[in-house]
Amino acid sequence: MNEKDTEKGGGGARSKTDVSWITDIFNKRVCTTFVEDTFSNGRLCQCGYARDTHHSVALGDCFSAAIVSHWDSAQHSSEQPTDAFGELEFAGAGKRHSYFLRLSSSTNPSGVFEILKGHWKLKQPNLVVSVVGGEGKKKIKGWVRDLLRKGLVKAAQSTGAWIITGGLKEGIGRCVGEAVRDHVSTYSVSLNKVVLIGIAPWGLVQNRQQLVKPEGSFPAKYYVTNTSRETCILDNNYKAFLLVDDGTVGRRGGEVNFRVRLEDFISRQRPGSATIDIPVLCMLISGEAAMLEGLDASLKTAMPWLVLAGSGGLADFVTDIVENVQSASMPPAGGAEKEDGTANMDLKERLAEKLKKHFPAVNETDKLVDKVLSIYQNKDLIFIYHAEQEGADDFDTVLLKTLVQASKHRVAVSTNPYADELRLAVTWNRVDIAKSELFNGNIQWKYEDLEDCMTDALENNKPQFIRLFIENGLNILDYLTYGRLEKLYKSISENCLAHSLLKNFLSVRLNESSTDQQNNVSLYEVSQLLENLLGDVCLPFYTSVFKLGTNSSKRTFLKKTSKVLKENCSYRGDACNHPWLCLFIWAVLQNRSEMAVYFWEMCGESVLTALGGCKLLRELSKLEIETETKISMKDLALKFEYMANDVFSMCYQTKACRSFKLLIRKSQMWGNATCLKMAMGADARLFFSHDGVQSLLSQIWWGEMDRGTEVWKVILTLLIPPICFTNIINFRKLDSVEEEKSALPLHPTSETDCHYSETVFSLADIKNLSEFEQEDSNIIRYPTKGTNFAAFHKKKQPFWVSRWKQFWYAPVTSFLGNVVMYFLFLFLYAYVLLVDFKPPPPDGPAASEYVLYFWMFTLVCEEIREIFIVGTKTIGQRLMLYTQDVWNKFDVLAISLFIAGLFCRMFSWSFNVGRGILCIDYMVFTLRLIQIFAIHRQLGPKIIILGKMMKDAFFFLFFLAVWLCAYGVANQALLYTYDASPSRVFRRVLYRPYLHIFGQIPVEEIDTGKSWNRHCTDNLTLVNEGQEPCRDTSHNWLVVVLLVIFLLVTNILLVNLLIATFSYTFSKVQERSDTYWKSQRYNLIVEYHSRPTLAPPFIILSHINLFIKRNFRKVPSTKIHHFALDLKGKEANQLVKWENLQKESFLAVEYKKQRGTDTERLKQITAKMDGVLKKVAEIRDVDRRLRTLESDMEFCTSSLLWIMESLSQSSVVKPSKVHPSRKAVISASLEK
């Protein structure tokens, strides 16, 4: 029944098979018995149809017609498959199509509700307002129209309501349609935001035959020639029409019973995860006495009614009997029935008087009085609305209170009288109503009252309510259990990317394990999804829930999970360890911006949490297919990156040393992740460009050496190591570290660090030297307050040992040593190729070439160490991580070419091939220098720009290759009719056109009009033997034209396109080149911090040392974690508290900025104006009351004067004094 599957293009008709289910379910009604209408002289049936339109069977049943005096729809009509349904196009209206369906008055409401939601795709309503009122030519008052436009329609839009009316362009239905039209045009709201549904009698619709088509109309053209108010035409402002057929024509009221049943059915539906049924409210505006039957039937189903007092007609009548008619007190139990009957008779008489007063022209009042009495007995469900007292702006609040009061009568016992009102406010997403009416401090809320509403707010993305509940007593620690967290993940929308990813992991679990376990999403799938998105940045989530260690294999994890899920799943009752973080991740996976930001505000470790959200969103955006969702994910990720950067700025400005701890502290909440590692995984270049991050990296880079040390001094010390014991290089002393925490450097910084001025601490200051081998220690620590530095060095080392380590263990020393030795390696390589490249054995290789081979062997050993020794991951994961770096691919290529060239040069038959490979390999090794200079402040950004331009050049080469092939083949074919030499053809097709671009154009060869001093032949035999063929002169003009076009396109269009592309890339990257460079600088520092101190070829000594440590001494490596500080206990808590304080300061600043924006100022002005308008309305009400009181006083005064005059003229009373005059009373009061 999918609408998209059944549609045909361009508004054409659908086939009957596509919608055959509609005719199987829905029917129309046809008169089966002709009952003569005595007022038509036998021409019409009481159903309204003419005699000629009836079937022969209906006309032939004379006996039934003779004994029947009143036609009844249920007895004298039968059902047949409907013949009018589909889409409706109002001719000349120019608006969207509407839906319509002709159905029997006895149709089951469940099928109708399903077609409204499923087939017609109407959004699930949060409220249904059924408007009943004036019909026909009766004029609706102006203030009623304003109320519908400003009150009802606005409330319907804000609450997501359906509005049900008669759907005809008359009376109250026309007013509601016009109110929706005006609201949409005024506030630029989509028509889909306000759903109007019309329920009208089929026999009353004008030109209904245009809708009849047994196979359905898609669309039906609805033409109306007469648009006067006397006609009953469909209103083009409605979204859907239910045309109820009771077998009559031209009669009103045939749809009433069906409408009552449909409203009652909708009121018992509970959509999805909602905490309440769909509220339905009937609204009475004006109306006629004939509507009493429908009002009574609706009240008997306990449907609440809101009556608009003062709108006239039936509404005023109901208002009168509800407010002014008082029933007699009921007799006590066991009282006389006579007294009860007398009381009822008295009440009926008073109701009959009211009915005669309001409807003097109505006949058969006895029957209507019984209906009125029944209505009066259900007056608890009737609520009177005085618009002139309450105003149209608060109409949504009135609807809320009316439904709440009605629910109190429908529900016998309620734990909290305000709970239903809160559920309605959450369902409508009206946090303003909840704040003003429910959370104003007068109501004491309990946890039980807020629990279900909190779940509703979470699942339906209502962050303002979540904030409201938390502020008013809901404890998140008690609320969020692992079981409830699983339910939240199950509630993720099917359209969300996270839902499909979780389903994929669920299918894997079900396929690899037995089928007798739960097939719902569990925390296992969530853990796998987070591990897939976060990678090796942190340890897996939720492993402790299944009582597993963080190093458990996936197979073990799966087996344990399957075993737990088969059992009672006792973990679901446990509270989450970090509830705000769990909710933050849940919101981020769904790309819920406002909710995720609020959860971030409530989380601890705000910098790391923001970077974690950035990481998750950027990984999700790579998997997202929808462009709009992908863009929103990237925007939210950038927002979190800015938030992390701003909070860290607050921390750095407050206290730098603590902010450095923040960057390298391992977080228990995020699985031992650090801010630096998370930022690197999230590609947070903006965060890395922060001065605080770069200052820490610079301190680590220089180690114990002063950051102002010139590079030439370090290189000189590398060449002559004993210089390190002199004062040519300044080292920092442990004794002065406490003084240097807040001091500025005495020397200017180097060119790579010239923008960082504050020196806080060095690498050795924050390292925990728990092992004597400092080269293996990279777990950065910093002594707490009151800790003596001597405690870190339990064994006093000699000066020459400590100074030697201070110099050689600095990453900058390792880097410069590798640079110097790499230049020597290239020099040796060039020397071998150019001077000392001997023939194959036994004459060669030379001794220098053997040195080169050994050097290359040490490079290979270092690459093997980097892949297989460093880290705790599996070999496959290490290889994948290794190949992600472009420069590692360069290394593999260079080593592979060297091995291939070495193998080929050892044999005479492949000696020249090997030499060529080695020459190419030398180019690859030389290009490897680019990565070395990435650390330089000026060259680093240029390298990034160069890499971006290389990508642009590939697109240019593609277009160039297309033109080269096109022009080269055509030029060769036109100049030479036949050429059997493939090498010659290849040069002339590709190589020669390429040279044309640079101005090398052989005019004598191309232009046959010029002489060509070259021997050629037309003999095919000689041409096949390899001689030069002669040119073909028949197409000389075309060859010249093609040359001109080729040069025009390549030299002007394509080359200038390449220049423009390069210029754009340069200007775009140059703006952020510093940011890109700082991010890459981190990778380089990490790489050289983890490398052995010695450079190739001496690095083999470090490798031997490491081999002995790992395999014989069993010393574990600590370099698998870069820059990690493990804080616990009081120090960790103090750091988290301090970070939260800085976050609060940041939020206060942001709130202040937001308050100062034009939008917020406009909102404040609007709120003040609303307050002023309310005050003005109150003043008007007081003025109206004073005027009424003044008129009453005047009436009383005149009445008293009349009594006084009458008494004074009467002889009954003999007054002793003359009655006081008005003038005397006023003068007496003035004297007082």
Side-chain angles (χ1 to χ4, degrees):
M1 296 190 300
N2 191 348
E3 189 176 356
K4 292 183 179 179
D5 298 337
T6 56
E7 282 185 354
K8 291 186 178 180
R14 305 180 197 180
S15 62
K16 188 180 189 312
T17 56
D18 291 335
V19 289
S20 59
W21 60 274
I22 293 182
T23 56
D24 293 339
I25 299 175
F26 300 102
N27 300 312
K28 64 178 181 179
R29 278 201 170 271
V30 178
C31 180
T32 56
T33 303
F34 182 85
V35 180
E36 181 179 343
D37 186 0
T38 57
F39 297 98
S40 63
N41 296 325
R43 291 184 299 102
L44 299 177
C45 175
Q46 290 186 14
C47 68
Y49 285 97
R51 179 184 292 271
D52 299 338
T53 59
H54 283 70
H55 197 270
S56 58
V57 177
L59 296 174
D61 193 2
C62 300
F63 177 78
S64 298
I67 63 175
V68 174
S69 59
H70 179 71
W71 188 90
D72 182 76
S73 174
Q75 298 179 5
H76 304 130
S77 66
S78 63
E79 293 185 347
Q80 296 180 6
T82 184
D83 57 0
F85 60 90
E87 296 179 0
L88 186 63
E89 179 183 353
F90 291 89
K95 293 188 177 181
R96 50 153 169 82
H97 293 178
S98 302
Y99 303 103
F100 74 98
L101 172 65
R102 178 184 182 183
L103 68 161
S104 170
S105 57
S106 59
T107 302
N108 191 340
S110 61
V112 178
F113 187 65
E114 189 61 34
I115 198 175
L116 288 171
K117 291 195 311 172
H119 189 61
W120 290 351
K121 306 298 182 185
L122 299 186
K123 188 178 179 181
Q124 182 82 41
N126 295 323
L127 168 67
V128 176
V129 179
S130 180
V131 183
V132 179
E135 298 175 345
K137 296 183 289 183
K138 191 168 183 179
K139 189 175 180 180
I140 304 299
K141 298 180 179 179
W143 65 269
V144 175
R145 295 175 181 270
D146 293 337
L147 177 68
L148 293 175
R149 185 176 65 256
K150 297 179 182 179
L152 176 63
V153 178
K154 184 178 178 181
Q157 182 209 340
S158 63
T159 57
W162 287 359
I163 301 178
I164 299 178
T165 71
L168 300 177
K169 212 160 191 176
E170 63 168 17
I172 201 64
R174 181 190 186 109
C175 293
V176 174
E178 291 174 350
V180 171
R181 180 198 63 198
D182 296 341
H183 181 79
V184 168
S185 60
T186 303
Y187 297 97
S188 300
V189 180
S190 173
L191 286 171
N192 296 324
K193 296 290 185 179
V194 183
V195 179
L196 269 182
I197 300 175
I199 302 179
W202 165 260
L204 203 63
V205 178
Q206 186 185 11
N207 295 344
R208 56 188 174 276
Q209 293 303 321
Q210 298 175 4
L211 312 180
V212 175
K213 195 174 186 180
E215 63 272 17
S217 303
F218 302 95
K221 304 285 186 179
Y222 187 63
Y223 296 92
V224 179
T225 56
N226 185 7
T227 58
S228 65
R229 289 184 175 271
E230 298 180 0
T231 58
C232 296
I233 62 175
L234 298 177
D235 195 332
N236 58 0
N237 294 304
Y238 283 69
K239 180 69 176 177
F241 295 94
L242 299 175
L243 306 178
V244 182
D245 187 5
D246 64 341
T248 64
V249 60
R251 310 284 175 87
R252 297 183 183 273
E255 82 287 358
V256 172
N257 290 331
F258 169 78
R259 183 169 175 175
V260 170
R261 288 188 291 111
L262 178 62
E263 293 164 358
D264 181 59
F265 177 81
I266 294 176
S267 68
R268 302 180 190 279
Q269 305 305 305
R270 179 169 296 190
S273 59
T275 56
I276 58 172
D277 297 337
I278 300 176
V280 179
L281 176 66
C282 296
M283 185 174 176
L284 178 61
I285 303 175
S286 185
E288 291 78 28
M291 297 178 181
L292 286 170
E293 183 178 356
L295 175 60
D296 180 37
S298 180
L299 288 172
K300 287 179 179 178
T301 62
M303 195 66 61
W305 278 77
L306 181 65
V307 179
L308 188 59
S311 58
L314 184 61
D316 290 350
F317 169 69
V318 174
T319 302
D320 193 7
I321 63 173
V322 170
E323 292 184 344
N324 300 326
V325 175
Q326 300 294 330
S327 60
S329 58
M330 299 300 295
E337 295 182 0
K338 183 177 180 181
E339 294 181 1
D340 189 11
T342 304
N344 283 336
M345 289 299 297
D346 182 56
L347 178 61
K348 289 182 68 174
E349 290 177 359
R350 284 182 287 159
L351 293 177
E353 292 177 1
K354 295 288 184 182
L355 182 63
K356 267 294 184 185
K357 175 183 176 182
H358 288 274
F359 301 103
V362 173
N363 299 323
E364 300 180 358
T365 56
D366 295 338
K367 186 177 181 180
L368 291 179
V369 167
D370 293 335
K371 298 292 182 184
V372 174
L373 180 61
S374 176
I375 292 171
Y376 182 80
Q377 291 172 348
N378 291 305
K379 68 176 182 178
D380 291 338
L381 296 172
I382 300 175
F383 306 92
I384 310 301
Y385 176 72
H386 296 276
E388 56 186 15
Q389 297 180 6
E390 302 184 46
D393 294 333
D394 301 326
F395 193 74
D396 45 6
T397 309
V398 173
L399 295 180
L400 178 68
K401 292 182 178 180
T402 302
L403 290 169
V404 170
Q405 293 177 16
S407 65
K408 294 176 183 177
H409 293 94
R410 300 179 71 174
V411 181
V413 179
S414 178
T415 56
N416 189 334
Y418 301 99
D420 292 334
E421 191 171 356
L422 178 60
R423 293 191 188 99
L424 282 174
V426 174
T427 303
W428 297 354
N429 197 21
R430 294 302 303 273
V431 70
D432 53 337
I433 295 178
K435 285 182 178 180
S436 61
E437 302 291 335
L438 303 174
F439 293 94
N440 51 13
N442 299 327
I443 304 173
Q444 186 67 30
W445 292 98
K446 298 180 180 179
Y447 170 78
E448 295 78 10
D449 301 329
L450 303 178
E451 185 178 7
D452 292 338
C453 294
M454 180 69 170
T455 304
D456 189 1
L458 283 169
E459 293 179 354
N460 296 294
N461 193 18
K462 298 170 182 176
Q464 294 180 347
F465 272 102
I466 299 172
R467 185 187 297 269
L468 189 64
F469 296 151
I470 296 299
E471 292 173 353
N472 287 272
L474 190 141
N475 189 349
I476 196 66
L477 296 174
D478 297 333
Y479 172 79
L480 193 63
T481 60
Y482 287 116
R484 183 164 276 140
L485 183 61
E486 283 187 351
K487 291 181 181 179
L488 291 177
Y489 276 103
K490 293 173 188 176
S491 68
I492 295 178
S493 171
E494 295 181 358
N495 299 326
C496 184
L497 174 63
H499 178 271
S500 59
L501 295 176
L502 289 172
K503 287 295 183 183
N504 292 338
F505 286 111
L506 175 61
S507 62
V508 171
R509 173 169 66 86
L510 295 177
N511 292 335
E512 294 186 2
S513 56
S514 58
T515 57
D516 58 344
Q517 58 179 298
Q518 297 183 10
N519 56 356
N520 293 324
V521 174
S522 65
L523 290 181
Y524 169 78
E525 286 75 35
V526 179
S527 176
Q528 295 299 304
L529 174 59
L530 294 178
E531 184 178 0
N532 188 36
L533 295 176
L534 294 173
D536 62 338
V537 173
C538 60
L539 299 175
F541 280 77
Y542 305 122
T543 53
S544 61
V545 173
F546 300 97
K547 297 180 175 57
L548 286 171
T550 56
N551 295 325
S552 302
S553 63
K554 288 190 176 182
R555 193 69 183 171
T556 305
F557 194 7
L558 179 59
K559 289 182 178 179
K560 183 67 174 178
T561 302
S562 302
K563 182 179 179 181
V564 172
L565 293 177
K566 287 179 184 177
E567 298 172 355
N568 56 359
C569 302
S570 58
Y571 70 91
R572 290 176 176 167
D574 300 336
C576 291
N577 290 334
H578 306 287
W580 288 118
L581 177 63
C582 295
L583 291 176
F584 172 78
I585 294 175
W586 174 77
V588 166
L589 291 177
Q590 299 178 84
N591 194 27
R592 293 181 173 181
S593 175
E594 188 178 355
M595 186 178 287
V597 170
Y598 172 67
F599 291 149
W600 172 82
E601 293 176 3
M602 304 301 293
C603 272
E605 304 182 10
S606 54
V607 176
L608 181 57
T609 302
L611 292 173
C614 179
K615 166 72 173 173
L616 289 172
L617 287 165
R618 282 180 175 157
E619 293 298 329
L620 286 172
S621 65
K622 297 176 184 177
L623 304 174
E624 182 59 57
I625 301 175
E626 298 291 337
T627 304
E628 186 176 351
T629 308
K630 183 191 291 284
I631 293 174
S632 65
M633 285 181 175
K634 291 181 178 180
D635 292 342
L636 183 56
L638 185 61
K639 181 177 182 180
F640 277 123
E641 185 178 354
Y642 274 109
M643 290 163 62
N645 184 74
D646 293 341
V647 174
F648 181 73
S649 294
M650 300 289 293
C651 297
Y652 183 66
Q653 292 170 7
T654 304
K655 200 167 187 180
C657 61
R658 279 195 173 184
S659 67
F660 293 153
K661 283 186 181 181
L662 202 64
L663 292 175
I664 58 180
R665 174 183 53 87
K666 290 198 295 186
S667 169
Q668 298 298 322
M669 192 169 72
W670 276 93
N672 289 341
T674 64
C675 290
L676 287 179
K677 197 172 183 181
M678 187 68 77
M680 196 66 233
D683 194 21
R685 298 189 183 100
L686 177 67
F687 184 79
F688 271 109
S689 65
H690 193 277
D691 288 350
V693 179
Q694 292 299 310
S695 181
L696 173 65
L697 295 179
S698 296
Q699 255 344 125
I700 296 173
W701 179 248
W702 285 98
E704 291 298 305
M705 288 184 286
D706 191 276
R707 286 167 50 181
T709 304
E710 289 82 356
V711 174
W712 67 268
K713 293 182 180 180
V714 181
I715 296 176
L716 181 62
T717 309
L718 282 171
L719 300 177
I720 310 174
I723 295 180
C724 69
F725 299 109
T726 65
N727 293 327
I728 192 173
I729 296 178
N730 295 326
F731 291 89
R732 297 150 59 84
K733 296 181 180 179
L734 294 178
D735 301 338
S736 61
V737 169
E738 291 296 330
E739 299 177 0
E740 291 181 3
K741 286 182 182 179
S742 58
L744 296 177
L746 300 176
H747 303 282
T749 57
S750 65
E751 58 182 353
T752 59
D753 303 298
C754 61
H755 57 301
Y756 309 119
S757 59
E758 186 177 1
T759 301
V760 182
F761 58 91
S762 64
L763 178 62
D765 298 339
I766 55 177
K767 279 189 175 181
N768 180 19
L769 302 179
S770 59
E771 298 179 356
F772 182 76
E773 296 84 0
Q774 184 179 355
E775 69 273 15
D776 278 346
S777 177
N778 72 320
I779 301 182
I780 303 176
R781 298 182 184 273
Y782 186 79
T784 58
K785 185 177 180 180
T787 304
N788 190 354
F789 265 93
F792 286 94
H793 302 273
K794 297 180 181 179
K795 194 171 182 179
K796 183 71 174 178
Q797 295 180 345
F799 168 77
W800 65 273
V801 175
S802 61
R803 179 57 59 88
W804 184 265
K805 290 182 177 182
Q806 286 176 349
F807 175 76
W808 286 103
Y809 292 158
V812 66
T813 305
S814 176
F815 170 73
L816 292 176
N818 277 271
V819 171
V820 172
M821 298 308 294
Y822 195 79
F823 274 106
L824 292 177
F825 167 75
L826 292 178
F827 176 78
L828 177 61
Y829 201 158
Y831 174 79
V832 170
L833 289 176
L834 298 175
V835 177
D836 206 12
F837 198 77
K838 298 293 181 67
D843 298 331
S848 59
E849 194 168 348
Y850 280 115
V851 175
L852 180 64
Y853 295 161
F854 176 74
W855 204 318
M856 179 59 66
F857 172 73
T858 60
L859 291 175
V860 173
C861 290
E862 173 59 21
E863 294 300 321
I864 293 174
R865 183 199 67 83
E866 188 176 348
I867 299 174
F868 297 102
I869 298 178
V870 177
T872 58
K873 291 185 174 297
T874 61
I875 295 177
Q877 292 173 334
R878 293 175 188 174
L879 284 172
M880 185 177 297
L881 187 64
Y882 177 83
T883 55
Q884 288 178 356
D885 190 355
V886 177
W887 297 111
N888 288 336
K889 297 177 183 177
F890 254 78
D891 293 337
V892 173
L893 176 63
I895 293 172
S896 302
L897 289 175
F898 190 88
I899 294 173
L902 174 62
F903 177 80
C904 292
R905 69 96 57 223
M906 291 299 176
F907 304 97
S908 301
W909 56 270
S910 60
F911 177 77
N912 291 327
V913 176
R915 179 180 173 85
I917 294 175
L918 290 175
C919 292
I920 298 298
D921 189 40
Y922 180 79
M923 293 181 60
V924 177
F925 273 111
T926 306
L927 291 175
R928 190 67 173 80
L929 283 172
I930 296 176
Q931 193 263 346
I932 294 176
F933 291 108
I935 193 67
H936 196 271
R937 181 172 177 79
Q938 278 73 37
L939 292 179
K942 300 302 183 292
I943 293 173
I944 297 170
I945 295 174
L946 181 63
K948 297 286 185 181
M949 288 184 174
M950 289 294 293
K951 296 180 181 179
D952 297 334
F954 280 111
F955 293 102
F956 167 77
L957 292 176
F958 169 76
F959 290 113
L960 182 62
V962 171
W963 275 98
L964 281 176
C965 294
Y967 170 72
V969 172
N971 182 68
Q972 175 67 12
L974 291 173
L975 283 176
Y976 301 96
T977 57
Y978 179 74
D979 193 348
S981 175
S983 61
R984 193 162 53 220
V985 170
F986 178 79
R987 287 196 304 270
R988 288 174 175 173
V989 168
L990 295 178
Y991 180 60
R992 188 173 63 184
Y994 180 73
L995 294 179
H996 289 356
I997 300 175
F998 303 99
Q1000 297 184 16
I1001 303 174
V1003 181
E1004 296 81 5
E1005 181 181 356
I1006 294 177
D1007 191 356
T1008 57
K1010 295 182 178 291
S1011 60
W1012 189 31
N1013 297 326
R1014 191 168 184 177
H1015 178 70
C1016 63
T1017 180
D1018 291 328
N1019 191 333
L1020 295 179
T1021 304
L1022 297 177
V1023 171
N1024 289 331
E1025 292 176 355
Q1027 291 192 18
E1028 179 76 24
C1030 291
R1031 299 172 297 173
D1032 184 10
T1033 60
S1034 60
H1035 298 91
N1036 179 57
W1037 64 273
L1038 186 55
V1039 172
V1040 175
V1041 171
L1042 289 179
L1043 175 63
V1044 173
I1045 296 175
F1046 174 72
L1047 293 177
L1048 177 67
V1049 172
T1050 55
N1051 286 19
I1052 296 179
L1053 293 182
L1054 290 182
V1055 173
N1056 281 281
L1057 174 63
L1058 180 64
I1059 295 172
T1061 305
F1062 282 173
S1063 300
Y1064 172 75
T1065 302
F1066 181 84
S1067 60
K1068 183 180 179 181
V1069 178
Q1070 183 66 24
E1071 297 175 356
R1072 296 179 294 175
S1073 60
D1074 191 62
T1075 303
Y1076 281 98
W1077 168 73
K1078 290 175 180 177
S1079 176
Q1080 287 192 348
R1081 183 170 178 253
Y1082 170 78
N1083 292 327
L1084 195 67
I1085 293 175
V1086 169
E1087 178 182 353
Y1088 282 97
H1089 181 265
S1090 62
R1091 274 194 175 190
T1093 303
L1094 298 178
F1098 307 108
I1099 199 173
I1100 192 67
L1101 301 176
S1102 298
H1103 291 160
I1104 294 172
N1105 182 34
L1106 288 174
F1107 180 78
I1108 294 173
K1109 282 183 178 181
R1110 301 294 175 263
N1111 295 278
F1112 296 101
R1113 296 176 57 192
K1114 303 299 181 182
V1115 177
S1117 174
T1118 57
K1119 288 191 174 183
I1120 57 177
H1121 302 293
H1122 300 297
F1123 315 142
L1125 175 63
D1126 195 3
L1127 292 179
K1128 293 181 180 179
K1130 183 178 180 181
E1131 188 175 7
N1133 293 333
Q1134 287 178 350
L1135 187 62
V1136 172
K1137 283 183 179 179
W1138 176 75
E1139 183 184 6
N1140 288 334
L1141 287 176
Q1142 307 311 312
K1143 179 186 67 177
E1144 295 298 329
S1145 300
F1146 162 74
L1147 294 175
V1149 172
E1150 290 297 312
Y1151 179 73
K1152 187 176 181 181
K1153 289 180 181 178
Q1154 186 179 4
R1155 294 275 295 178
T1157 58
D1158 295 338
T1159 305
E1160 289 297 320
R1161 290 176 180 174
L1162 185 60
K1163 288 181 179 179
Q1164 295 173 11
I1165 294 173
T1166 304
K1168 291 179 180 179
M1169 289 299 298
D1170 291 340
V1172 171
L1173 291 176
K1174 288 183 179 180
K1175 292 294 183 182
V1176 171
E1178 293 176 359
I1179 293 173
R1180 288 180 178 175
D1181 184 55
V1182 172
D1183 181 65
R1184 181 183 60 80
R1185 292 180 180 180
L1186 289 175
R1187 290 182 180 179
T1188 304
L1189 182 60
E1190 184 179 356
S1191 61
D1192 293 341
M1193 290 296 295
E1194 290 179 354
F1195 173 75
C1196 293
T1197 303
S1198 59
S1199 299
L1200 289 173
L1201 289 174
W1202 179 79
I1203 294 172
M1204 291 169 60
E1205 291 178 357
S1206 300
L1207 291 175
S1208 62
Q1209 295 176 3
S1210 173
S1211 59
V1212 178
V1213 180
K1214 299 288 186 178
S1216 60
K1217 296 182 180 179
V1218 181
H1219 67 82
S1221 63
R1222 181 179 179 84
K1223 183 176 180 181
V1225 172
I1226 293 175
S1227 54
S1229 61
L1230 290 176
E1231 290 177 359
K1232 292 180 179 180

